[in-house]
Amino acid sequence: MSKVLGNNIAQIRRELKMTQQVLADLIEIERTSLSQIETGAYNPSADTMIKISDALKRPLGDIFFNPDVLKFETNAFLVIQDQYENTSMRR
């Protein structure tokens, strides 16, 4: 999860044309710590996530959201559901 989170933070930060240093200053952490968060080497605390959300002006859900994972999980669920329903109907 941390790589997805880090990638989303970096992507949003770049869309806003914000440097790591500027974001780090806004959320009151070292730039190297932000770099570790963005590469997935470090998981930020809940307080830091709120600060990142506020600084990027995005809801936490936008930062955590990963459509590829959601799509896979949804498709896997539908396949299992179909298999279950087909098995149940045969009984």
Side-chain angles (χ1 to χ4, degrees):
M1 171 63 114
S2 61
K3 283 192 177 194
V4 169
L5 172 64
N7 288 338
N8 288 346
I9 292 168
Q11 180 180 348
I12 294 167
R13 177 182 57 75
R14 286 190 293 265
E15 287 172 5
L16 296 172
K17 299 184 183 345
M18 186 183 294
T19 65
Q20 281 185 335
Q21 187 62 60
V22 168
L23 180 56
D25 289 345
L26 287 171
I27 63 174
E28 302 173 328
I29 65 172
E30 296 294 322
R31 188 206 56 79
T32 53
S33 297
L34 177 59
S35 177
Q36 290 177 327
I37 291 169
E38 288 187 354
T39 61
Y42 175 76
N43 290 317
S45 68
D47 288 339
T48 300
M49 280 305 308
I50 292 169
K51 288 179 181 181
I52 291 170
S53 172
D54 290 344
L56 297 177
K57 296 180 175 37
R58 297 282 177 94
L60 283 172
D62 286 0
I63 297 170
F64 280 104
F65 182 68
N66 181 349
D68 293 334
V69 172
L70 185 61
K71 180 179 175 185
F72 172 76
E73 289 176 356
T74 301
N75 288 341
F77 173 76
L78 292 174
V79 168
I80 292 169
Q81 184 180 23
D82 283 346
Q83 289 173 349
Y84 173 78
E85 287 174 356
N86 289 336
T87 304
S88 297
M89 290 179 161
R90 289 186 207 149
R91 291 183 183 169

